[in-house]
C-alpha cells in the first residue's frame, strides 16, 4: 500500500547507506496518508536565516541534505528529530518525489544551502485524517518543522545521472555499469570496507529496480520522474 516503504539495506558504512539511497529512493518518515485530498490549505513558510550567497536553489529531483525537527502545533511537543537518528548525520533525500510528506516536499522548494526555515503544514499535506500512530502523530494534526538545509545536489534520478552511469549509451544500465559506478563512488569516498558491501548493494539495487527481471535497469525502471525524457 502507499503507506509502506522499502527499508534501507543494512550495510557496514555510512557510504554504503548513502549509495543505497542514491539509487533506491527511501522514505524518511515512514507513512503517508492514503486517500486524503489536499484542500485549499497551504504550507506557511517563515525564513529564519537566508545566506547572502543563495545558490543553487532546490528544485524537484534534487538530492538534499538537511536536518529538521518536527513538532505538533497543538501542544508544541516534538515528535521527530533528525539529529537523534543515524548517529546525528543530516538526512539525504530526493525532493518532490514523495520520500517525505507532501508538505515537506512543498516547504523545501527554492531553498538554498545554509537557509533555515520554520514551516507550518496542514493535515491535508501531512498525515490527514488517519494520523500516523507509529510516529506519535494524531489524526488531523497540523505539523511544524524547523529545517536547516546543508546541501543541494543534482538528483540521482536525473537524466544526467542516468547518462553518467550508462557508459555505452544504450539507454539501459547493466550490472557491470552499476558495479563500476559503485566502485568509483567507493574510491572517491576512500574508506576501507568489506567487498561484500559492494555485492549486497548491487544485488539490492537490481532486486528493487529491475522490475521485468531482464538483468538490466531500463530508463523507465530507473526514472521516477514521469515528465523526464531519456
Amino acid at each position: 500500500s502507499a503507506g509502506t516503504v522499502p527499508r534501507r539495506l543494512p550495510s557496514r558504512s555510512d557510504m554504503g547507506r548513502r549509495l543505497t539511497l542514491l539509487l533506491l529512493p527511501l522514505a524518511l518518515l515512514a507513512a503517508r496518508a492514503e486517500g486524503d485530498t489536499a484542500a485549499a490549505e497551504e504550507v506557511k513558510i517563515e525564513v529564519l536565516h537566508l545566506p547572502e550567497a543563495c545558490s543553487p536553489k532546490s528544485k524537484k529531483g534534487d538530492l538534499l541534505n538537511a536536518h529538521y525537527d518536527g513538532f505538533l502545533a497543538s501542544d508544541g511537543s516534538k515528535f521527530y528529530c533528525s539529529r537523534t537518528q543515524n548517529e546525528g548525520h543530516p538526512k539525504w533525500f530526493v525532493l518532490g518525489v514523495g520520500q517525505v510528506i507532501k508538505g515537506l516536499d512543498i516547504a523545501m522548494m527554492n531553498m538554498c544551502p545554509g537557509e533555515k526555515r520554520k514551516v507550518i503544514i496542514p493535515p491535508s499535506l501531512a498525515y490527514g485524517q488517519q494520523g500516523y500512530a507509529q510516529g506519535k502523530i494524531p489524526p488531523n494534526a497540523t505539523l511544524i518543522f524547523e529545517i536547516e538545509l546543508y546541501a543541494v545536489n543534482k538528483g540521482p534520478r536525473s537524466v544526467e545521472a542516468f547518462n553518467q552511469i550508462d557508459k555505452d549509451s544504450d539507454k539501459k544500465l547493466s550490472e557491470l555499469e552499476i558495479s563500476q559506478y559503485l566502485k568509483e563512488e567507493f574510491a572517491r569516498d576512500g574508506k576501507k570496507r568489506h567487498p561484500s558491501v559492494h555485492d549486497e548493494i548491487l544485488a539490492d539495487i537490481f532486486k528493487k529496480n529491475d522490475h521485468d527481471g531482464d538483468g538490466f535497469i531500463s530508463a523507465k525502471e530507473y526514472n521516477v520522474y514521469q515528465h523526464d525524457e531519456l
Side-chain angles (χ1 to χ4, degrees):
S1 74
T4 59
V5 297
R7 296 300 178 191
R8 183 175 294 164
L9 175 71
S11 66
R12 297 175 178 81
S13 70
D14 290 336
M15 192 60 184
R17 287 193 292 271
R18 175 171 172 261
L19 286 168
T20 306
L21 172 60
L22 287 175
L23 286 159
L24 306 172
L26 304 174
L28 300 179
L29 295 174
R32 286 186 294 155
E34 298 179 37
D36 289 320
T37 56
E41 298 173 295
E42 294 181 347
V43 175
K44 296 178 182 178
I45 299 173
E46 178 186 355
V47 177
L48 302 177
H49 174 72
L50 188 66
E52 288 186 20
C54 185
S55 178
K57 289 193 173 183
S58 59
K59 63 184 184 303
K60 181 178 179 180
D62 283 343
L63 182 66
L64 305 188
N65 186 232
H67 265 316
Y68 53 87
D69 295 331
F71 306 86
L72 297 179
S74 58
D75 60 7
S77 62
K78 183 182 290 190
F79 64 84
Y80 185 82
C81 176
S82 63
R83 290 173 176 83
T84 63
Q85 309 284 325
N86 191 26
E87 299 178 343
H89 296 296
K91 297 293 183 182
W92 288 98
F93 66 97
V94 180
L95 183 65
V97 299
Q99 288 186 4
V100 291
I101 56 173
K102 189 174 181 64
L104 276 178
D105 270 338
I106 295 170
M108 297 184 70
M109 291 285 183
N110 298 311
M111 197 172 179
C112 57
E115 184 174 343
K116 297 179 182 179
R117 290 181 177 181
K118 179 179 180 180
V119 302
I120 301 175
I121 299 174
S124 61
L125 299 175
Y127 295 95
Q129 296 177 1
Q130 294 178 325
Y132 178 34
Q134 186 179 340
K136 299 180 180 178
I137 298 172
N140 299 311
T142 297
L143 307 181
I144 298 173
F145 283 93
E146 293 181 359
I147 306 162
E148 182 173 4
L149 183 60
Y150 294 101
V152 177
N153 295 336
K154 193 175 292 293
R157 298 277 173 156
S158 65
V159 174
E160 293 88 350
F162 184 94
N163 291 338
Q164 179 186 350
I165 302 171
D166 184 22
K167 301 289 188 185
D168 60 7
S169 301
D170 64 353
K171 301 302 179 187
K172 58 185 179 181
L173 306 181
S174 67
E175 189 170 317
L176 181 62
E177 286 172 331
I178 294 181
S179 176
Q180 184 61 35
Y181 169 77
L182 292 176
K183 287 177 182 177
E184 290 171 0
E185 287 292 312
F186 280 150
R188 188 176 295 119
D189 172 57
K191 293 181 180 179
K192 291 184 178 181
R193 54 180 59 78
H194 196 276
S196 65
V197 173
H198 173 279
D199 297 338
E200 288 172 358
I201 294 173
L202 185 63
D204 202 59
I205 287 168
F206 274 86
K207 180 180 178 181
K208 299 260 179 37
N209 291 270
D210 182 17
H211 303 304
D212 61 9
D214 67 349
F216 294 91
I217 297 175
S218 67
K220 185 177 182 181
E221 288 171 329
Y222 173 91
N223 190 28
V224 298
Y225 311 135
Q226 297 301 317
H227 65 274
D228 281 353
E229 296 296 332
L230 279 162

